Amino acid sequence: MVLARTLRLVAIALPVVLTACAPKSWVVLLPDEDGRTGRIIVSGEEGQTEVAEAGVAASLDTPKPETFKVTPYRIEQTFGGALAAQPKPPAVFTLYFESGGARLTAESEALLPAVLAESAARDGADISIVGHTDTTGDPADNKALGMLRATLVRDALVAAGLRLDRISTESHGEGNLLVKTPDDTQEPYNRRVEVVVR
Amino acid sequence: MLPEAWKSPTRYNSHHPQQALILAMSSYSAFSRLMLACALALLTRVALAEDGPIGYVKTHAGAAFVVSAGKSMEAVPGLALRQGDVLRTGDDGRLGLILLDNTVMSLGPNAEMVIDEYLFEPGNEQLGLGVRLLRGTMQFISGVIAKLRPEAVKVKTATGTIGVRGTRFLVDAGN
């Protein structure tokens, strides 16, 4: 009896609670692809709140954002279209070079077909190519060498049929080390070109 | 199978790039050509920073458009996006895009979004991303800009602002 009455009360109260918690404009945090969850800071006209838990939402149309939990069902109902339109996440390839010049290691040369296949598998693919060097020699020379490495990879991809206008090429020289080393240090893992296929 | 450019050991055999410069400087005309090339490269770079694509459309369904400099285009995969572009979807529309720093965004039906600001030059510490969702729904997955400078990334609606600290979220801006 008591239980039935409680349930009835909940049934009456629930729509009221849901209405109170149903802003027209809101944001909900999701876990990242790798399973971790980041943070968002939501600001209204009169205050702000932080959300750091997946499945927790905050209103965007109240002076001070109010947090509330949302079910996966409601997320799917509201955001099914936006979720369905999510592009495939970018794919990253790292190609390594022999010391000094712009000659790929044999293993990295063998990765080229995988880069081409990844690009072919995407509609409207674009590619970023960034060249890097180790700390051997002068930083300005290394900037040029990084560009030479990036250009070599670009030319190979274009020769294999990729569109030049959707490829961007740049060099970070020795300014973006994968393995931190002192100056003038040979480091195979720093002699690389990073190719991002989007 | 492999293209010649890939197979050839290298077009540049030296450990010391300055040798190339010295070679180029050995004749005046070669040197001036080099300077001209450098100047041109610099000009192109500046032009690219201002007018170049900031990303590309990747997915679409139904009615989906990009309005760029007053011109409306169908949002087909591979369409280049620029700062200031307005993205719109109709009743049955949706649209997905990836920006150059790997920020991924997608819009549900009846949505309108403006890319107000996009700066991605990590070498010059020029970083910024500002978008406004005027109506409809979107998904946002942060990229390199949010990693390097989280406070430089803002997603706004008519009434609220979302500051991004490296993450994935959904926004409903209502209608």
Side-chain angles (χ1 to χ4, degrees), chain A residues 25-32 38-41 43 60 79 81-82 85-86 103-104 109 124 126 141 148 156 198, chain B residues 3 6 9 12 18 56 58-59 78 94 98 100 102 104 106 139 159-161 163 165-172 174:
Chain A
S25 178
W26 50 291
V27 53
V28 57
L29 192 60
L30 295 186
D32 294 342
R39 285 186 303 136
I40 48 175
I41 291 154
S43 312
L60 287 163
F79 297 105
Q86 181 190 324
R103 182 178 174 166
L104 281 160
E109 198 169 306
D126 70 290
D141 292 347
L148 200 72
R198 286 181 289 251
Chain B
W6 191 269
Y12 170 80
Q18 64 265 36
Y56 295 88
K58 297 298 176 185
T59 67
R94 52 177 110 119
I98 308 184
L100 292 187
N102 298 341
V104 178
S106 51
Q139 177 181 223
T159 48
T161 303
R165 299 298 179 263
T167 195
R168 177 174 170 220
F169 58 87
L170 298 160
V171 189
D172 183 356

Side-chain angles (χ1 to χ4, degrees), chain A residues 95-168:
Chain A
L95 308 175
Y96 296 99
F97 286 76
E98 303 290 353
S99 181
R103 182 178 174 166
L104 281 160
T105 63
E107 293 89 344
S108 291
E109 198 169 306
L111 266 178
L112 176 65
V115 176
L116 293 170
E118 186 64 49
S119 174
R122 291 162 183 257
D123 276 342
D126 70 290
I127 296 176
S128 289
I129 303 174
V130 182
H132 304 272
T133 69
D134 62 22
T135 56
T136 316
D138 181 69
D141 292 347
N142 281 333
K143 188 98 177 170
L145 179 56
M147 197 63 201
L148 200 72
R149 288 174 173 164
T151 308
L152 177 101
V153 172
R154 181 197 65 192
D155 290 351
L157 295 174
V158 170
L162 296 194
R163 284 179 57 160
L164 181 62
D165 65 342
R166 294 219 197 107
I167 302 179
S168 70

Side-chain angles (χ1 to χ4, degrees), chain B residues 113-170:
Chain B
M113 187 185 80
V114 188
I115 306 174
D116 283 317
E117 188 202 8
Y118 192 77
L119 272 172
F120 182 52
E121 290 175 53
N124 300 325
E125 300 201 6
Q126 297 285 305
L127 298 163
L129 171 58
V131 303
R132 259 182 308 144
L133 185 66
L134 304 176
R135 59 193 170 93
T137 55
M138 79 173 291
Q139 177 181 223
F140 183 97
I141 304 174
S142 60
V144 178
I145 296 177
K147 218 168 270 171
L148 295 176
R149 195 180 298 162
E151 66 279 7
V153 182
K154 291 267 188 296
V155 177
K156 289 183 179 178
T157 63
T159 48
T161 303
I162 302 150
V164 182
R165 299 298 179 263
T167 195
R168 177 174 170 220
F169 58 87
L170 298 160

Side-chain angles (χ1 to χ4, degrees), chain B residues 29-40:
Chain B
S29 70
F31 179 62
S32 40
R33 270 204 302 274
L34 182 74
M35 293 314 286
L36 187 66
C38 288
L40 279 174

